[in-house]
Amino acid sequence: MARPLIAEIDLDALRHNYRLACERSPDSRCVAVLKADAYGHGAVPCARALEGIAPAFAVACIEEAVVLREAGIDAPILLLEGIFEAAELAQVDDLGLWMTVHSDWQLEALLAHRPAGPIPVWVKVDSGMHRLGFPPEAVEAVWQRLREAPAQACDLHLMSHFATADLEDSAYFERQMARLEALADRLGAPLCLANSPATLARPRAHGAWNRPGVMLYGSDPLEVANAASRRLAPVMTLRSAIIAVRELPAGEPVGYGGRWTTPRPSRIGVVAAGYGDGYDRHAVDGTPVLVAGRRTAIAGKVSMDMLTVDLTDIPEADIASEVVLWGRASNGEVLSVDEVARHCDTISYTLLSGVLPRVPRRYHGGQS
């Protein structure tokens, strides 16, 4: 019998979440972000599930684009970080990719290149995130140089990234947005601004294109959920089983370092999952799990291949009982990956993208 830990991927839920992004921004097109192997869900199966409803995909780097092209994905693919060296422009050309340009050296490399056909270019503006992008005062000159180079560049867009679109306090978002609107007005430029939180909650940011990412996988990126984010459906269920049960008296330490001690006579279940699978070792005692469709909690430190949970109040739980570490249990009960992430002092992105290759992915749904 195989080890029971699997990552079950619901491609119908992925399509539902993508359609929700489109519903939130009916006058925009949505590029589906598949970077980091679709946030750990598998870029190729996710792309295939979204083909026909998503007009374009986005990845971080050319290696991720190559994987999609070699799998037969022929939709447009945007490189969110552009190229990392000038030699990659030949692949951009050969693979028919769209390219972000965020710095002077990328601009000069592109203008010196002689592609078979002009490359769609998205010019990144640093509107206040202070990560990648041209300063707003430099963008007009960059835009003009690209417009004067039709052999190299076409279909120009402005893009940027919001630092605080997920927060209730909108002051900094509004400052970023004002800079971008003024720049777009001067240039007559189409915009691609909205990430997942802005797609869900900032209609002012909806441009010609939006870039939903983590919301596609069912994680709520908002500081305070709204009516739309509550409709997100979990795509990944990290599912395992109880492989051993221990009956312990009160006062017994459990796991490395004895961090958790039984407060009463207790039943402890051992689960086939650990940090060697990507489950976060920082999970504290009390981190929620579902056992046999009922909520309980981690008791003791996460080990490499196992973790322990308190079964005392779930008498029906035994060997082979279903354990859901996040996602949807067989009885329909849902444990949000966002809730688990809070107990690990992290965010859902790290949990989802951190599920390691030794955890088999099992896919279902995804057909029109």
Side-chain angles (χ1 to χ4, degrees):
M1 179 177 174
R3 187 166 182 253
L5 180 65
I6 64 167
E8 185 178 278
I9 311 297
D10 182 350
L11 296 173
D12 288 334
L14 175 73
R15 289 161 65 90
H16 162 83
N17 296 335
Y18 179 82
R19 289 188 171 108
L20 177 61
C22 296
E23 177 188 315
R24 293 297 294 169
S25 52
D27 297 323
S28 307
R29 290 184 287 176
C30 289
V31 54
V33 179
L34 300 177
K35 64 181 180 176
D37 199 29
Y39 293 63
H41 292 70
V44 170
C46 289
R48 287 175 175 156
L50 292 172
E51 275 188 307
I53 60 173
F57 300 118
V59 297
C61 58
I62 205 160
E63 291 85 357
E64 294 179 336
V66 167
V67 169
L68 294 177
R69 285 287 187 255
E70 288 181 345
I73 304 299
D74 57 9
I77 300 172
L78 170 66
L79 299 178
L80 290 169
E81 296 177 31
I83 57 171
F84 293 88
E85 58 181 358
E88 290 181 335
L89 282 165
Q91 282 182 288
V92 171
D93 195 19
D94 290 344
L95 298 173
L97 305 179
W98 298 358
M99 177 179 163
T100 297
V101 172
H102 61 71
S103 56
D104 289 328
W105 79 264
Q106 289 179 331
L107 174 65
E108 299 304 332
L110 176 61
L111 294 177
H113 184 58
R114 293 293 178 266
I119 296 168
V121 171
W122 295 31
V123 178
K124 189 152 194 178
V125 185
D126 179 6
S127 60
M129 180 78 167
H130 302 316
R131 199 170 59 177
L132 295 179
F134 296 98
E137 62 271 16
V139 171
E140 256 183 274
V142 172
W143 190 265
Q144 188 60 34
R145 290 187 70 190
L146 288 167
R147 288 190 63 182
E148 291 172 354
Q152 284 84 14
C154 67
D155 196 20
L156 301 182
H157 285 70
L158 283 182
M159 68 184 298
S160 192
H161 198 67
F162 294 115
T164 62
D166 57 322
L167 303 183
E168 275 201 293
D169 183 348
S170 64
Y172 197 72
F173 165 81
E174 298 292 344
R175 288 202 291 275
Q176 283 192 264
M177 195 68 224
R179 292 186 193 114
L180 292 161
E181 287 172 334
L183 184 57
D185 285 346
R186 289 200 303 274
L187 298 178
L191 291 169
C192 176
L193 305 178
N195 53 4
S196 287
T199 299
L200 286 165
R202 308 286 187 187
R204 182 180 173 188
H206 298 168
W209 288 88
N210 297 334
R211 302 189 309 277
V214 78
M215 69 168 288
L216 300 182
Y217 308 99
S219 172
D220 185 346
L222 299 178
E223 182 180 46
V224 177
N226 66 11
S229 70
R230 291 188 193 99
R231 293 170 54 197
L232 292 168
V235 176
M236 180 190 290
T237 294
L238 190 60
R239 189 188 311 277
S240 190
I242 300 293
I243 60 171
V245 176
R246 294 287 178 267
E247 303 272 357
L248 299 175
E252 285 296 310
V254 174
Y256 285 118
R259 183 181 72 184
W260 189 84
T261 301
T262 54
R264 56 181 172 164
S266 301
R267 296 179 73 236
I268 301 301
V270 181
V271 181
Y275 62 78
D277 304 296
Y279 191 86
D280 199 324
R281 188 176 181 272
H282 298 98
V284 297
D285 297 327
T287 299
V289 298
L290 300 176
V291 177
R294 295 178 57 188
R295 289 177 71 98
T296 186
I298 285 178
K301 289 183 180 179
V302 175
S303 303
M304 178 176 281
D305 309 304
M306 292 170 280
L307 55 85
T308 44
V309 297
D310 187 357
L311 302 180
T312 310
D313 294 327
I314 311 178
E316 68 272 26
D318 209 335
I319 305 297
S321 289
E322 175 191 68
V323 177
V324 168
L325 299 164
W326 63 72
R328 189 182 302 276
S330 297
N331 69 350
E333 184 73 17
V334 172
L335 174 59
S336 164
V337 67
D338 302 296
E339 182 180 357
V340 176
R342 288 191 290 272
H343 282 79
C344 299
D345 193 25
T346 188
I347 56 177
S348 64
Y349 303 67
T350 62
L351 297 186
L352 295 171
S353 62
V355 177
L356 294 171
R358 81 166 179 172
V359 180
R361 271 64 168 175
R362 299 286 185 264
Y363 296 89
H364 63 86
Q367 302 302 313
S368 298

